[in-house]
Amino acid sequence: MKIAVIGGDGTGPEVTQEALKVLEAVSKIDNFSYELTDLDYGGERYLKTGEILPDGSVDLLRQHDAIFLGAVGHPDVTPGVIEKGLLLELRFQLDQYINLRPVKLYPGVETPLANRGPDDIDFVVVRENTEDLYAGIGGFLKKGTADEVATQTAIYSRKGCERWIRWAFEYTQKRNNPKGKRLTLVAKNNVLTYGHDLVWRTFQEVAAEYPDVEADYNHVDACCMWMVKNPDYYDVIATTNMFGDIITDLAAVLQGGMGVAAGGNLCPDAGGTSMYEPMGGSAPKYTGQSVINPIAAISAMSMLLEHTGQPESGKKVLNAIQVVTGTKMKSQSAGKMGYSTQEVGDLVCEALGA
Ligand code: IPM
Ligand code: MN
């Protein structure tokens, strides 16, 4: 397994170190080998060279089975520049059309919802990752004048809808929730009567091929309400790019926040390269203090293993994480864990039996 590692900015490299520590431990237990390519992409390099993704870097990344990304975002770089130039650029160039966000409340982790526990908060969001408002289509008319007009166009293609929705049905089937297999499409087809009509029609057509999966629908505003009131209702959610961006932050808070939330940018096609990342940003103010929570990064590593040919090892890491959150850590907030960043990594290795 060839993994490209982009530690990135701020606390990104610190949490990446812990994820790599856990990878090493589980690889010894399960007896598989891997090769790492360390890449210095991010704000620091951009400030020095003016380059975000140097020439040839996308081809280099394509030669890897997976990418692990720590965090990008530098206080001296205009917000959005690295996010767009690295994260969004790779999503498009590598055609990572699925953004997978498991929303699982680990044992011992506090949720802001009263009287809710791990049994109530365990669902997965399958966000489309290459279309919608993120396509970057638009422009200005009479820019800078009082008559200025700006457009930002959301696009949805039949092909783009179908591949994402079909993947979501397949995933729901495989997840095989004992409470029942349910895929909820989250959109706004009462208002977005062109784009989300295409999404809706595609969903219905693909649903017919999966009669064992309940094909369900929520408007996005109602989904936000239900996610807080009845998170246990959800099994798998399929949603469009922009709405997915918003509801996955809401979902991250329900599962204990940025210290634990992880995601994958997947190109599920043969030979595709997927990228896994903790959702918390680069948290520059905590850099080098050993206080940042590596659980999200270790969860991202568990996802990488699950989707890159080592599903059993991925499960082991996920179980070890839950032992540590459930029996050791005091909190998931930076500086309040009761352990340093490195000690949390060690605890996960210990729980693995390393
Ligand atoms: C995410 C992030 C990105 C997005 C940003 C950093 C461009 O918020 O992965 O959810 O909007 O998709
Ligand atoms: Mn987001």
Side-chain angles (χ1 to χ4, degrees), residues 61-316:
L61 290 168
R62 264 191 243 281
Q63 290 159 26
H64 291 77
D65 300 301
I67 304 165
F68 188 92
L69 175 66
V72 287
H74 194 289
D76 302 336
V77 180
T78 315
V81 170
I82 310 282
E83 291 89 329
K84 208 166 173 224
L86 194 144
L87 187 62
L88 296 185
E89 189 64 24
L90 289 179
R91 285 179 185 171
F92 286 109
Q93 296 251 12
L94 299 173
D95 205 17
Q96 295 166 337
Y97 60 86
I98 300 294
N99 189 304
L100 188 65
R101 281 276 296 105
V103 183
K104 186 173 170 64
L105 182 64
Y106 297 144
V109 176
E110 217 179 311
T111 171
L113 301 184
N115 307 317
R116 292 293 191 178
D119 289 343
D120 302 310
I121 301 172
D122 188 356
F123 60 94
V124 179
V125 180
V126 180
R127 165 185 169 190
E128 201 287 323
N129 214 26
T130 56
E131 301 201 327
D132 198 357
L133 286 165
Y134 278 75
I137 296 176
F140 300 106
L141 182 68
K142 303 185 184 174
K143 191 174 179 186
T145 73
D147 295 326
E148 177 164 358
V149 178
T151 61
Q152 188 89 41
T153 304
I155 59 153
Y156 309 90
S157 68
R158 170 71 204 206
K159 179 184 149 197
C161 290
E162 193 168 330
R163 64 183 184 173
W164 143 64
I165 288 169
R166 177 161 283 114
W167 194 88
F169 271 104
E170 293 281 337
Y171 183 83
T172 309
Q173 212 169 42
K174 259 190 251 130
R175 180 171 147 92
N176 197 16
N177 189 338
K179 290 194 272 185
K181 299 185 275 270
R182 173 188 285 147
L183 179 63
T184 306
L185 173 67
V186 169
K188 189 78 182 176
N189 64 2
N190 55 344
V191 174
L192 306 181
T193 51
Y194 307 113
H196 286 203
D197 185 66
L198 173 58
V199 171
W200 168 239
R201 279 184 283 118
T202 309
F203 184 76
Q204 283 175 302
E205 279 172 40
V206 177
E209 297 170 36
Y210 299 88
D212 58 323
V213 176
E214 183 197 339
D216 180 41
Y217 177 85
N218 283 177
H219 291 316
V220 64
D221 46 352
C223 167
C224 290
M225 190 178 71
W226 288 118
M227 210 186 265
V228 171
K229 270 184 88 168
N230 285 92
D232 51 311
Y233 175 81
Y234 293 110
D235 176 16
V236 181
I237 290 175
T239 191
T240 48
N241 206 346
M242 186 79 253
F243 291 163
D245 178 46
I246 298 164
I247 69 169
T248 53
D249 267 28
L250 173 61
V253 170
L254 305 188
Q255 74 180 120
M258 293 300 169
V260 294
N265 301 274
L266 273 51
C267 175
D269 299 345
T273 301
S274 302
M275 176 164 70
Y276 302 85
E277 49 167 343
M279 300 316 298
S282 55
K285 67 175 176 182
Y286 295 126
T287 307
Q289 294 180 30
S290 296
V291 295
I292 198 81
N293 189 350
I295 289 293
I298 299 169
S299 300
M301 186 55 80
S302 149
M303 291 180 74
L304 184 153
L305 291 165
E306 183 190 341
H307 295 276
T308 321
Q310 302 293 343
E312 289 310 314
S313 305
K315 257 184 233 147
K316 277 185 199 167

Side-chain angles (χ1 to χ4, degrees), residues 323-342:
V323 170
V324 174
T325 61
T327 65
K328 305 278 186 186
M329 295 173 76
K330 291 202 184 78
S331 158
Q332 301 301 315
S333 304
K336 298 184 184 149
M337 302 184 289
Y339 299 93
S340 69
T341 305
Q342 291 71 25

